[in-house]
């Protein structure tokens, strides 16, 4: 396994052991599978009007960052005792949504998944997860500059996902090292599969035309890491700053949070235990 490094013009001094915010997982995915995915995405973006796929806007910092083609729709009925989840606030809805991003019961394959089966076939072939949830293709037009942003600031959640750029996409993607302020770019050539902590700010460089004159894209797949890859990310990962220590992180910050998420985010585990206790009490009260 290799670690993705900043461009040579911004490499830190040779004497430093400072890690990159990327973990490169490309070698764990077959080149044949990545090539097939590349062809599938190119054909999808070329013919998306003809095959009637549904797209949406991908927003960040209340601005449009990119267009998105979602392959799953959210079903919140599994989040609560009743069939309808009613959030206490917008923050509560956001927190619950982030916590369930890797939950296969929450994210159900939609029309796009059936119209473009090659993407979900690729997702099912990946070695990283015990289950997968939200899947989205994020694409930008020529001239787009994106929006630098962090996905969330939750102290008790580390996102479990992989970021994939296929070989025909020229997306120049970076994550900001929160310790040095440096923009660390994914190497520009070839297909890449990786992980980064999305507490860290990230964005793209302005998009230039690829060989076909089009824009660029990447695929994000959220899930629940299996034991092997949870340990790899926990050990090798570069994490953002945790503002408030959390129960169960064993004093290891966000690294400890990820380690404790083997059965899902700990805050969801506690809430589920609370709901189960309430249900037991209600059953005991029934005459």
């Amino acid at each position: 396994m290799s670690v993705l490094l900043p461009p040579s013009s911004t490499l830190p001094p040779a004497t430093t052991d400072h890690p990159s915010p990327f973990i490169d997982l490309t070698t764990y995915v077959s080149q044949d599978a990545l090539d097939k995915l590349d062809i599938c995405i190119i054909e999808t973006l070329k013919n998306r009007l003809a095959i009637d796929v549904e797209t949406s806007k991908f927003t960040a910092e209340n601005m449009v960052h990119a267009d998105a083609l979602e392959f799953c729709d959210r079903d919140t009925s599994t989040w609560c005792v009743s069939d309808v989840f009613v959030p206490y606030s917008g923050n509560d809805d956001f927190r619950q949504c982030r916590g369930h991003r890797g939950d296969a019961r929450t994210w159900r394959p939609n029309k796009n998944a059936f119209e473009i089966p090659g993407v979900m076939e690729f997702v099912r072939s990946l070695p990283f997860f015990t289950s997968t949830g939200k899947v989205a293709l994020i694409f930008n037009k020529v001239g787009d500059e994106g929006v630098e942003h962090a996905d969330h600031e939750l102290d008790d959640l580390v996102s479990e996902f992989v970021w994939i750029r296929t070989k025909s996409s020229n997306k120049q993607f970076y994550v900001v090292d929160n310790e040095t302020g440096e923009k660390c770019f994914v190497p520009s050539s070839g297909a890449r599969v990786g992980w980064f902590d999305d507490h860290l700010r990230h964005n793209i460089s302005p998009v230039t035309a690829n060989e076909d004159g089009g824009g660029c894209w990447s695929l994000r797949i959220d899930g629940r890491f299996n034991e092997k890859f949870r340990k790899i990310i926990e050990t090798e990962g570069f994490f953002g700053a945790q503002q408030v220590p959390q129960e169960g992180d064993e004093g290891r910050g966000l690294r400890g949070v990820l380690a404790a998420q083997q059965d899902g985010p700990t805050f969801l585990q506690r809430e589920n235990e609370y709901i189960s206790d309430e249900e037991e009490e209600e059953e005991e009260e029934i005459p």
Side-chain angles (χ1 to χ4, degrees):
M1 182 187 65
S2 61
V3 178
L4 306 187
L5 295 173
S8 58
S9 61
T10 56
L11 279 173
T15 55
T16 185
D17 293 324
H18 191 66
S20 163
F22 292 98
I23 295 295
D24 186 350
L25 304 171
T26 310
T27 57
Y28 293 102
V29 182
S30 78
Q31 190 60 55
D32 181 62
L34 287 167
D35 289 345
K36 289 179 179 177
L37 177 66
D38 188 57
I39 294 170
C40 177
I41 291 174
I42 290 171
E43 292 302 313
T44 296
L45 295 179
K46 280 184 178 179
N47 303 316
R48 62 182 183 273
L49 296 180
I51 59 178
D52 193 29
V53 296
E54 298 175 354
T55 61
S56 57
K57 296 298 181 184
F58 185 93
T59 60
E61 307 278 337
N62 297 315
M63 293 178 283
V64 175
H65 172 70
D67 291 304
L69 200 159
E70 303 276 359
F71 290 88
C72 300
D73 289 336
R74 190 177 77 163
D75 176 2
T76 64
S77 63
T78 61
W79 297 6
C80 50
V81 177
S82 61
D83 289 335
V84 180
F85 170 69
V86 180
Y88 297 115
S89 65
N91 286 339
D92 179 43
D93 182 74
F94 177 81
R95 176 180 169 82
Q96 290 289 329
C97 185
R98 297 301 305 194
H100 285 91
R101 281 179 78 113
D103 181 16
R105 298 176 304 164
T106 296
W107 297 97
R108 311 292 180 87
N110 61 17
K111 176 184 175 182
N112 291 339
F114 291 101
E115 291 283 353
I116 315 163
V119 171
M120 296 307 289
E121 288 172 7
F122 172 83
V123 170
R124 288 190 290 271
S125 75
L126 293 173
F128 307 117
F129 304 107
T130 58
S131 64
T132 57
K134 183 177 171 65
V135 179
L137 178 68
I138 302 165
F139 56 99
N140 293 89
K141 303 181 295 297
V142 174
D144 283 358
E145 298 183 357
V147 178
E148 188 177 285
H149 65 284
D151 287 4
H152 66 95
E153 298 178 345
L154 299 173
D155 285 329
D156 51 1
L157 177 70
V158 172
S159 298
E160 300 178 38
F161 70 98
V162 290
W163 178 93
I164 298 170
R165 183 191 65 204
T166 61
K167 65 181 182 181
S168 296
S169 173
N170 63 351
K171 176 174 280 192
Q172 302 301 301
F173 182 80
Y174 68 83
V175 174
V176 177
D177 183 324
N178 66 325
E179 296 181 5
T180 66
E182 181 179 40
K183 294 179 180 179
C184 298
F185 283 82
V186 175
S188 58
S189 61
R192 292 287 173 178
V193 180
W195 175 89
F196 62 94
D197 181 9
D198 57 9
H199 288 83
L200 301 172
R201 296 185 71 81
H202 50 279
N203 192 20
I204 59 173
S205 290
V207 178
T208 57
N210 59 23
E211 292 181 0
D212 295 326
C216 64
W217 57 85
S218 58
L219 185 69
R220 172 166 169 151
I221 302 163
D222 285 84
R224 298 276 188 250
F225 284 136
N226 57 35
E227 182 178 356
K228 174 181 178 179
F229 287 97
R230 181 179 306 280
K231 190 64 177 177
I232 287 173
I233 301 302
E234 175 197 341
T235 304
E236 303 292 339
F238 180 95
F239 294 85
Q242 185 188 55
Q243 302 303 312
V244 179
Q246 299 294 308
E247 179 183 349
D249 67 22
E250 298 184 343
R252 301 171 64 215
L254 293 173
R255 194 181 306 275
V257 170
L258 175 63
Q261 287 181 176
Q262 64 268 23
D263 296 318
T266 54
F267 70 85
L268 291 182
Q269 296 175 41
R270 290 193 294 270
E271 290 172 7
N272 290 337
E273 290 172 1
Y274 175 74
I275 290 173
S276 297
D277 291 343
E278 281 190 333
E279 290 174 336
E280 289 179 4
E281 291 175 1
E282 290 176 0
E283 289 177 0
E284 291 174 359
E285 291 174 359
I286 297 176

